[in-house]
Amino acid sequence: MMGNSLLLGSLVCSFAVAVAGLCRAGEIDEAFFELLGDMRSFGCIPDVVTYNTLLHGLYRIDEVDRARNLLKESCLKGEFAPIVVSYTMVISGDMASALGMHKKMLLHGYLPNVVTLTSLVDGYC
């Protein structure tokens, strides 16, 4: 039993590294459609690191709306529990959406950190 969970943990980590590589190369769609599908076919569930890597990849190519949608959809499906970093990456751009995400973050019990608050101030400026 311990061996199976160790193997799955290693697979999740390996997939997360591959997702990060594709995101750094700007190959976001491949990370989404190919690797996430492959993860699931191996019985792996993407974790918070994998999702945050995807969110960051979308943020880097200025696809904040797509990142917000990913965060919303994955939370609704119960696929992962976002953390402060997850919310902070999608708090930028359109301030109405950013404030909505900030409220959701607070409702889920997460307090904003310095980066989160700086993102909000930057949006207002």
Side-chain angles (χ1 to χ4, degrees):
M1 188 75 143
M2 178 76 153
N4 283 344
S5 63
L6 184 61
L7 177 62
L8 276 178
S10 296
L11 280 172
V12 170
C13 183
S14 297
F15 276 112
V17 169
V19 166
L22 286 171
C23 287
R24 281 190 200 104
E27 303 294 333
I28 301 294
D29 288 333
E30 285 77 8
F32 269 103
F33 301 116
E34 291 180 30
L35 280 181
L36 287 182
D38 289 346
M39 280 184 86
R40 291 184 175 101
S41 72
F42 277 93
C44 299
I45 298 169
D47 62 359
V48 69
V49 174
T50 307
Y51 275 107
N52 281 347
T53 302
L54 289 168
L55 291 170
H56 186 255
L58 289 167
Y59 175 81
R60 286 181 60 208
I61 62 169
D62 202 28
E63 295 256 2
V64 178
D65 288 337
R66 192 169 164 196
R68 281 189 195 112
N69 288 334
L70 172 65
L71 184 63
K72 287 177 193 174
E73 289 173 17
S74 56
C75 287
L76 286 174
K77 292 177 186 176
E79 292 181 341
F80 90 109
I83 58 176
V84 173
V85 174
S86 312
Y87 287 108
T88 300
M89 281 188 270
V90 298
I91 293 180
S92 65
D94 171 37
M95 286 311 295
S97 296
L99 288 174
M101 292 308 287
H102 181 249
K103 283 182 183 178
K104 286 181 184 181
M105 183 177 126
L106 294 173
L107 286 172
H108 286 104
Y110 294 105
L111 295 175
N113 60 21
V114 172
V115 178
T116 310
L117 294 173
T118 302
S119 296
L120 288 170
V121 169
D122 184 53
Y124 279 115
C125 293

